[in-house]
């Protein structure tokens, strides 16, 4: 009963480096989401997916790419990290009702 | 796009006091949800509301779906230290694809023993 698992939990990147954040869910949920959380700004949607093989842009998609090759996994990529991408990233999954969130990835870009 | 205004942004209260927070929307929602986020963790669902006027309780927590469908309220009675955290409202409009939620900016609650 893991729910939603995010890896890694912490990461420090240098400006211009790339990385991939992994989200895995074991609830067979159709919908998956990536959010970023910044102080005083709540949770902002980056990208989301309504099923395997599908992705769509959210509120703040610039600088990020995603892939959903398998139903249980949703990957968030940063091709060239910038300091403005320093944030806490949360993945969530949903069937219809409320979301189930992962515990987050704290990313610092220096 | 849809916007949610959540207030207050922060609250500092004494243990045992009651707490109220609310969210207002620029558009009509057909679902309102309230989440709590503990430090270092992801948000966890507290209460879900699906009908205008609905009043739902979960222990010491009570939430209401506003009649206008543009607001929601969360009350916490007799607060205890473990109530500390960030509380988020979230709403979903009927026409939203992908079951997406719009989140408020959060209310940071501090409870002094």
């Amino acid at each position: 009963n893991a729910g939603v698992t995010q890896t890694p939990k912490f990461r420090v990147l240098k400006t211009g480096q790339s990385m991939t954040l992994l989200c895995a869910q074991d609830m067979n949920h159709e919908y998956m989401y990536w959010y970023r959380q910044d102080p005083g700004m709540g949770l902002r949607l980056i990208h989301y997916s309504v099923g395997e093989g599908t992705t769509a842009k959210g509120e703040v998609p610039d600088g990020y790419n995603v892939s959903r090759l398998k139903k249980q996994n949703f990957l968030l990529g940063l091709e060239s990290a910038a300091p403005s991408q320093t944030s806490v990233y949360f993945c969530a999954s949903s069937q219809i009702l409320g979301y189930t969130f992962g515990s987050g990835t704290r990313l610092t870009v220096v | 796009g849809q916007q949610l205004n959540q207030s207050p942004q922060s609250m500092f209260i004494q243990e045992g006091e009651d707490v109220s927070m609310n969210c207002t929307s620029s558009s009509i929602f057909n679902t309102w949800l309230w989440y709590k986020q503990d430090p270092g963790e992801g948000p966890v669902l507290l209460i879900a509301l699906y009908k205008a006027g609905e009043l739902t309780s979960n222990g010491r927590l009570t939430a209401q779906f506003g009649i206008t469908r543009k607001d929601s309220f969360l009350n916490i009675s007799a607060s205890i230290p473990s109530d500390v955290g960030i509380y988020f409202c979230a709403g979903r409009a009927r026409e939203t694809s992908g079951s997406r939620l719009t989140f408020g900016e959060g209310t940071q609650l501090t409870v002094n023993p």
Side-chain angles (χ1 to χ4, degrees):
Chain A
N1 293 332
V4 176
T5 302
Q6 290 183 234
T7 54
K9 293 188 181 301
F10 303 94
R11 186 72 186 267
V12 178
L13 285 180
K14 293 183 179 179
T15 297
Q17 287 185 321
S18 63
M19 79 163 294
T20 300
L21 281 66
L22 172 63
C23 177
Q25 54 100 358
D26 61 2
M27 297 169 286
N28 202 36
H29 285 171
E30 287 294 332
Y31 306 136
M32 296 187 74
Y33 315 84
W34 276 106
Y35 283 85
R36 61 178 289 173
Q37 183 177 26
D38 302 292
M41 302 189 75
L43 292 158
R44 293 184 293 168
L45 182 64
I46 304 171
H47 286 281
Y48 66 101
S49 169
V50 299
E52 180 179 316
T54 75
T55 63
K57 293 181 180 180
E59 182 185 358
V60 289
D62 293 343
Y64 305 95
N65 57 77
V66 288
S67 65
R68 183 112 180 257
L69 299 179
K70 294 182 178 181
K71 186 177 184 179
Q72 64 268 32
N73 296 335
F74 196 28
L75 278 62
L76 177 70
L78 286 73
E79 291 184 349
S80 180
S84 61
Q85 293 178 305
T86 293
S87 187
V88 181
Y89 292 85
F90 286 101
C91 175
S93 71
S94 168
Q95 192 61 23
I96 294 292
L97 303 177
Y99 293 0
T100 300
F101 283 89
S103 57
T105 295
R106 185 174 295 276
L107 175 66
T108 302
V109 183
V110 297
Chain B
Q2 297 160 350
Q3 292 184 337
L4 283 184
N5 294 312
Q6 185 172 349
S7 64
Q9 288 187 337
S10 62
M11 302 182 73
F12 298 84
I13 62 171
Q14 293 297 124
E15 183 176 359
E17 289 183 355
D18 297 342
V19 172
S20 292
M21 58 192 78
N22 69 84
C23 271
T24 58
S25 168
S26 58
S27 55
I28 290 174
F29 285 151
N30 67 339
T31 303
W32 281 97
L33 304 167
W34 285 91
Y35 286 83
K36 183 194 177 193
Q37 183 181 25
D38 290 325
E41 298 294 330
V44 173
L45 182 64
L46 297 173
I47 293 178
L49 303 158
Y50 303 106
K51 187 177 178 181
E54 180 180 355
L55 187 71
T56 298
S57 294
N58 179 4
R60 293 177 296 104
L61 278 62
T62 301
Q64 184 164 22
F65 192 140
I67 292 292
T68 66
R69 298 179 139 211
K70 291 186 176 183
D71 56 8
S72 181
F73 307 88
L74 176 70
N75 295 316
I76 304 173
S77 63
S79 60
I80 59 178
S82 62
D83 290 335
V84 165
I86 303 176
Y87 291 80
F88 290 102
C89 63
R92 180 184 294 123
R94 187 182 301 277
E95 68 276 8
T96 303
S97 66
S99 197
R100 285 172 291 155
L101 294 172
T102 299
F103 284 85
E105 295 172 352
T107 295
Q108 174 75 61
L109 178 64
T110 301
V111 180
N112 296 315

